[in-house]
């Protein structure tokens, strides 16, 4: 078992560089299936979701060369299988369905896994595939989609704003015959990143970043180079860490525009923030104030920042309210934070956090990726020792989080515990 051990109470100082965006990378890697030729992907984050997807593509026949630790040449020219060997441990396995349908007109993919954030339907993805002419069934834990040859472009209105459905339909439509129009599309930065990637390989996609995306199918995509955008949520997590631990840091390699809603809320809570071209400086000079948050699709406040903000609000002055509009299980962290003495009451979609002056150390279990990140922040806010178990959730999506936090002065260690009697410090 691996766990993190944190000794809190140290303000953060220095600089941290943000990695490539997880939620863009997990879409772009499957997207390379659409390309005949070599795709050089730069700024790929070193996280376990990426490792898993690369191994899936390799098993399907892709030739993948490591150029350096964050750059891969991926060549899917010789992939000839339209079924996926294994991938269900990650949510983004569903992008393989859109990519295979686009490339071969057929795909068989395990149903997605990922964080347990409550019910995670994929009806809008399937509705899109069906509108483009595919027969879709779910059998033996797999999505089986058969387009009977090349898909046909279609008009698709999404009943809910869905990141995954928007990207999956773009993937399926890039090589379809004719025009696909997605109405009520999601607008997250990684949607734009996927469209930019596909366009740089020869696709014809307009409107990404607005709620109407038009994809005119092309006959073929060619190889090329593409650099993944920085991770908006990783950046937000380090900004929020200063709210929890105190101090002053510079977060490098960010697109400040992508962080507008997060920065607005951190400022409201009393943090002092300065934007530069591709970095953001943040400082905590006094105890934070309570705030109210409502999560929404981009450009609203992201659900994936709720546990991190909640961590700092546990020690802010006053009562904060968080209204969660996306996931029914978003607040699973609340019971874990309660072990540190936090006062959080969850009523359906709302968490009420009554700030207290100090948290105390305890052991918590990371229950999902962002909750795990929030637990690190909560640990930094105590003056005690906090332990976090089940950190594999965190390592799915945060590159080198222990090393990055340590470089900022946090006292956090990654510890391998083979059994109860042999405790070995790794970092
Ligand atoms: N929804 C449907 N039907 C669908 C698809 C979605 O009803 O077919 C609903 C969902 O139940 C949810 C809402 O629509 O209430 C939004 O879901 P969306 O499809 O946008 O989420 P996702 O694509 O499954 C991505 C991120 C999540 C992030 C959400 C919301 C990836 C791989 N995952 O999930 O990221 O929380 O968008 O922004 O991009 C994370 O990174 O920790 C994470 C969970």
């Amino acid at each position: 078992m691996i766990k993190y051990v944190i000794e809190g109470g140290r303000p953060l100082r220095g600089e941290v560089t943000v990695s490539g965006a997880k939620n863009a990378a997990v879409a772009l890697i499957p997207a390379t299936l659409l390309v005949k030729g070599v795709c050089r992907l730069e700024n790929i984050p070193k996280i376990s979701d990426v490792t898993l997807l690369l191994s899936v593509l390799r098993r399907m026949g892709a030739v993948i060369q490591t150029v350096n630790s964050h750059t891969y040449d991926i060549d899917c020219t010789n992939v000839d299988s339209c079924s996926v060997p294994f991938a269900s441990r990650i949510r983004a396995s569903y992008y393989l369905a859109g990519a295979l349908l686009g490339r071969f007109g057929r795909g068989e993919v395990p149903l997605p896994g990922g964080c347990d954030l409550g019910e995670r339907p994929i009806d809008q993805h399937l509705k899109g595939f069906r509108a483009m002419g595919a027969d879709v069934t779910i059998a033996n834990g797999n999505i089986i989609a058969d387009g009977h040859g090349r898909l046909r472009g279609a008009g698709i209105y999404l009943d809910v704003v869905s990141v995954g459905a928007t990207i999956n339909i773009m993937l399926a439509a890039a090589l379809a015959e004719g025009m696909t129009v997605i109405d009520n599309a999601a607008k997250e930065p990684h949607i734009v990143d996927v469209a930019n990637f596909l366009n740089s390989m020869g696709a014809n996609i307009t409107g990404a970043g607005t709620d109407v995306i038009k994809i005119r199918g092309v006959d073929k995509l060619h190889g090329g180079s593409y650099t993944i955008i920085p991770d908006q949520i990783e950046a937000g997590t380090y900004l929020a860490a200063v709210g929890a631990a105190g101090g002053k840091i510079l977060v490098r390699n960010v697109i400040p525009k992508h962080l507008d809603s997060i920065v607005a809320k951190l400022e409201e809570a009393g943090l002092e923030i300065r934007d530069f071209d591709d970095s953001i400086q943040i400082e905590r000079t006094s105890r934070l104030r309570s705030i109210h948050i409502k999560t929404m699709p981009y450009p609203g406040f992201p659900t994936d920042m709720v546990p991190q903000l909640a961590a700092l609000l546990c020690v802010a002055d006053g009562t904060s309210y968080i209204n969660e509009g996306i996931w029914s299980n978003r607040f699973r962290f609340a019971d874990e934070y309660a072990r540190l003495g936090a006062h959080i009451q969850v009523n359906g979609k709302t968490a009420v956090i009554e700030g207290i002056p100090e948290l105390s150390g305890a052991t918590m279990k990371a229950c999902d990726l962002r909750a795990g990140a929030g637990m690190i922040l909560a640990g930094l806010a105590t003056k005690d020792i906090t332990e976090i178990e089940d950190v594999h959730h965190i390592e799915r999506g945060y590159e080198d989080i222990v090393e990055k936090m340590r470089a900022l002065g946090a006292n956090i260690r990654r510890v391998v515990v083979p059994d109860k009697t042999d405790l070995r410090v790794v970092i």
Side-chain angles (χ1 to χ4, degrees):
M1 181 183 77
I2 295 170
K3 65 181 179 183
Y4 294 167
V5 180
I6 301 166
E7 201 175 325
R10 291 191 183 194
L12 303 180
R13 307 253 171 237
E15 298 183 2
V16 61
T17 300
V18 170
S19 301
K22 165 181 101 68
N23 288 343
V26 298
L28 293 184
I29 293 169
T32 61
L33 277 166
L34 293 165
V35 178
K36 288 198 176 155
V38 178
C39 297
R40 173 161 293 188
L41 283 183
E42 295 171 340
N43 205 28
I44 295 193
K46 272 194 296 167
I47 52 175
S48 62
D49 270 8
V50 159
T51 311
L52 185 63
L53 271 175
L54 291 174
S55 63
V56 169
L57 284 195
R58 274 200 186 95
R59 284 272 294 270
M60 295 173 71
V63 178
I64 303 178
Q65 313 269 9
T66 306
V67 179
N68 61 48
S69 57
H70 295 96
T71 305
Y72 292 87
D73 282 346
I74 305 177
D75 185 353
C76 293
T77 310
N78 294 325
V79 170
D80 56 7
S81 156
C82 34
S83 77
V84 172
F86 62 95
S88 60
R89 274 181 293 143
I90 55 172
R91 182 72 188 156
S93 62
Y94 54 41
Y95 293 138
L96 294 162
L100 287 173
L101 258 179
R103 165 88 180 259
F104 299 110
R106 193 184 148 71
E108 186 169 335
V109 175
L111 281 166
C115 286
D116 176 11
L117 298 169
E119 203 199 344
R120 296 187 74 169
I122 54 166
D123 55 298
Q124 300 302 304
H125 305 232
L126 306 188
K127 167 175 155 171
F129 297 159
R130 288 184 177 119
M132 286 186 271
D135 288 327
V136 186
T137 48
I138 308 284
N140 307 324
N142 289 329
I143 307 167
I144 302 162
D146 189 350
H148 310 287
R150 194 176 179 191
L151 297 183
R152 294 183 307 278
I156 299 156
Y157 170 79
L158 295 181
D159 300 321
V160 288
V161 177
S162 160
V163 172
T166 303
I167 291 180
N168 230 343
I169 294 167
M170 281 201 293
L171 296 178
L175 294 173
E177 195 179 332
M179 171 94 99
T180 299
V181 179
I182 310 175
D183 264 305
N184 200 25
K187 297 183 276 219
E188 268 67 5
H190 35 291
I191 306 267
V192 179
D193 214 33
V194 174
N196 286 345
F197 164 81
L198 291 170
N199 282 342
S200 73
M201 307 290 152
N204 184 347
I205 302 176
T206 53
T210 75
D211 46 21
V212 182
I213 301 180
K214 294 185 177 161
I215 307 122
R216 190 178 293 280
V218 295
D219 291 336
K220 184 172 179 298
L221 297 181
H222 53 73
S225 272
Y226 192 78
T227 304
I228 296 177
I229 52 167
D231 196 304
Q232 164 209 19
I233 304 298
E234 187 196 8
T237 301
Y238 287 104
L239 295 173
V242 172
K248 178 179 179 181
I249 68 167
L250 185 71
V251 182
R252 287 191 175 281
N253 189 33
V254 300
I255 298 175
K257 180 83 199 133
H258 294 170
L259 289 155
D260 279 353
S261 63
I262 299 169
V263 162
K265 285 293 157 186
L266 292 172
E267 281 181 331
E268 232 178 278
L271 285 145
E272 290 177 17
I273 298 179
R274 280 183 71 193
D275 278 11
F276 300 99
D277 284 349
D278 63 355
S279 59
I280 296 184
Q281 179 186 287
I282 183 160
E283 180 173 15
R284 192 182 85 186
T285 53
S286 57
R287 188 173 177 204
L288 299 184
R289 301 182 283 274
S290 57
I291 53 171
H292 302 337
I293 295 173
K294 182 168 173 43
T295 66
M296 306 235 257
Y298 188 84
F301 186 88
T303 173
D304 291 339
M305 281 300 299
V306 163
Q308 302 90 316
L309 267 282
L312 61 89
L313 295 175
C314 286
V315 287
D317 186 19
T319 303
S320 299
Y321 293 81
I322 303 181
N323 187 264
E324 165 65 18
I326 317 285
W327 301 122
S328 55
N329 272 354
R330 179 86 277 174
F331 297 132
R332 287 169 82 209
F333 60 83
D335 287 345
E336 300 296 311
Y337 290 8
R339 296 170 188 274
L340 310 189
H343 292 183
I344 307 181
Q345 239 198 330
V346 176
N347 303 314
K349 293 182 170 180
T350 305
V352 182
I353 305 175
E354 194 194 310
I356 55 172
E358 225 175 79
L359 297 173
S360 54
T363 297
M364 293 179 280
K365 273 189 199 303
C367 41
D368 62 63
L369 167 63
R370 307 302 173 186
M375 285 171 205
I376 296 179
L377 272 48
L380 297 176
T382 76
K383 291 203 170 63
D384 286 336
I385 302 215
T386 298
E387 297 195 350
I388 305 174
E389 297 174 353
D390 290 348
V391 298
H392 58 93
H393 286 293
I394 304 173
E395 297 180 357
R396 280 187 42 226
Y398 284 90
E399 173 172 338
D400 294 339
I401 191 162
V402 170
E403 291 83 347
K404 289 185 184 186
M405 286 289 185
R406 283 171 70 87
L408 292 172
N411 187 345
I412 172 169
R413 302 184 316 276
R414 186 174 190 269
V415 176
V416 179
V417 194
D419 62 47
K420 286 202 171 120
T421 52
D422 178 5
L423 193 130
R424 190 158 44 98
V425 175
V426 169
I427 290 170

